[in-house]
Amino acid sequence: MVSLANVYSIHPPPYLNTHASSPSPVSNLCSTMSPPKAATLFLLFFLLLLSSTTTSNAHNITRILAKYPQFSTFNHYLTTTHLASQINRRQTITVLALDNTAMSSLLAKHYSLYTLKNILSLHVLVDYFGSKKLHRISKGSTLTSTMFQATGAAPGTSGYVNITNLKGGKVGFGAEDNEGKLDATFVKSIKEIPYNISIVQISHALNSAEAEAPTAAPSQLNLTEIMSKQGCKAFADLLTASGADDKFNENMDAGLTVFCPTDSAVKGFMPKYKNLTASKKVSLLLYHGIPVFMSLQMLKTNNGVMNTLATDGANSYDFSVSNEDEVVSLDTTVVTAKVLGILKEEEPLIVFKTNKVLMPKELFKPVVAKEANAPEADAPGDSEPADAEDNTNGVQGLGGGRLVMVVLSLWIGILLI
């Protein structure tokens, strides 16, 4: 997206143009060309500007709040309740953050984790409200929906939040089912990425009888049963026989991503599997799990090295995630597997089907022979996924396709001149 500042730097509006009498170099150049050439050059220049500007709106609430220690408790419970991953998947969102003091008051009421999730989801608005918008509410008051309303667990409009402009420039917040009371006020803006995500601090937690009502734990998901019914029975049987399924189940509540190879892939791999010791078999199986919930979109926007359930201090047992167009690949340096689809997605669990068994470099020899004589200029391409992971907002940089467009635009522009 091209910012207004960038647009104005090219063609400032009259009220910003303080040197209207002095023609710019661009206008001088265009005046010497025929209208078609001038128009074409301007279009190419505009395309160049667009192609060099970040277009992705991805964000990561956990990484953003990690920079602010005073919100560490709030950040922790967003992750624990799996709200963080849901926030990251939303393209337009506003988070009403509570500092550690406000969270301490909330936690003192000893709500269950599932009830706490409902309460915190009431603090996530499914619309964008930056500081300026909050202080300029049309007609002074508005109702906006929240992620609690989106769950379907909120009866009527109890999942809505009332935002009201108060005297003295203050902004009040209150749950719709709280008899019109405004429990909290705006404190400050923490982070704004218009019109993607806005994180603002409010003074107190919002009270809501519906959100605070006792909530039963969801029914337990049976991982091996899910895989067995979806064409991954062979892998499910290996988990059960080795006892590795216990480790997967232990991580279920905190978030779990599983990559399950197809039955045919497991069948072809069995000769190698049988040659492994019992402990190495377990390590190989644990290598197919990530101890966090990662949706398909999150895998696409968080390319890079991923730790697994097999990762320990001595052995990394990691692999790299990358994507080309809509295809997600997992590279272990021994084998590259492709994600074929999703078997099950129900937070905190997601199970992907892959076309190959993931073979860690700790147990098998990496495939490097074909790349041994490759020119050094090709090396930077291997580090691109890791660079993408280091981006704090999950935004990737200039891709190869767009780089070609930039170079081509410049070359055609030079020819036109």
Side-chain angles (χ1 to χ4, degrees), residues 70-216:
Q70 65 270 37
F71 298 101
S72 59
T73 305
F74 182 75
N75 196 17
H76 168 74
Y77 279 98
L78 286 183
T79 300
T80 303
T81 59
H82 307 293
L83 282 173
S85 59
Q86 295 178 34
I87 291 171
N88 292 340
R89 292 202 297 273
R90 293 271 184 169
Q91 293 186 351
T92 303
I93 207 84
T94 298
V95 179
L96 307 179
L98 303 172
D99 65 11
N100 293 341
T101 301
M103 281 298 297
S104 294
S105 299
L106 180 62
L107 295 174
K109 298 178 182 180
H110 304 292
Y111 294 115
S112 71
L113 185 64
Y114 306 102
T115 298
L116 189 61
K117 179 177 182 177
N118 286 343
I119 295 172
L120 293 182
S121 65
L122 186 68
H123 293 70
V124 183
L125 315 180
V126 292
D127 196 358
Y128 181 86
F129 287 91
S131 178
K132 290 184 179 179
K133 183 177 179 179
L134 286 172
H135 287 85
R136 298 174 184 174
I137 297 295
S138 177
K139 299 181 181 180
S141 183
T142 188
L143 282 178
T144 186
S145 184
T146 67
M147 284 184 63
F148 179 49
Q149 184 72 24
T151 63
T157 58
S158 59
Y160 280 74
V161 167
N162 178 5
I163 305 175
T164 301
N165 289 155
L166 306 173
K167 293 181 179 180
K170 293 184 177 181
V171 180
F173 299 84
E176 172 64 5
D177 68 339
N178 196 31
E179 300 178 350
K181 295 179 182 178
L182 300 177
D183 301 308
T185 56
F186 173 86
V187 177
K188 64 181 179 182
S189 174
I190 301 170
K191 179 74 173 181
E192 295 183 18
I193 307 177
Y195 291 88
N196 181 17
I197 184 171
S198 173
I199 307 173
V200 299
Q201 180 186 356
I202 61 174
S203 58
H204 301 89
L206 304 179
N207 293 313
S208 166
E210 294 296 339
E212 295 165 5
T215 304

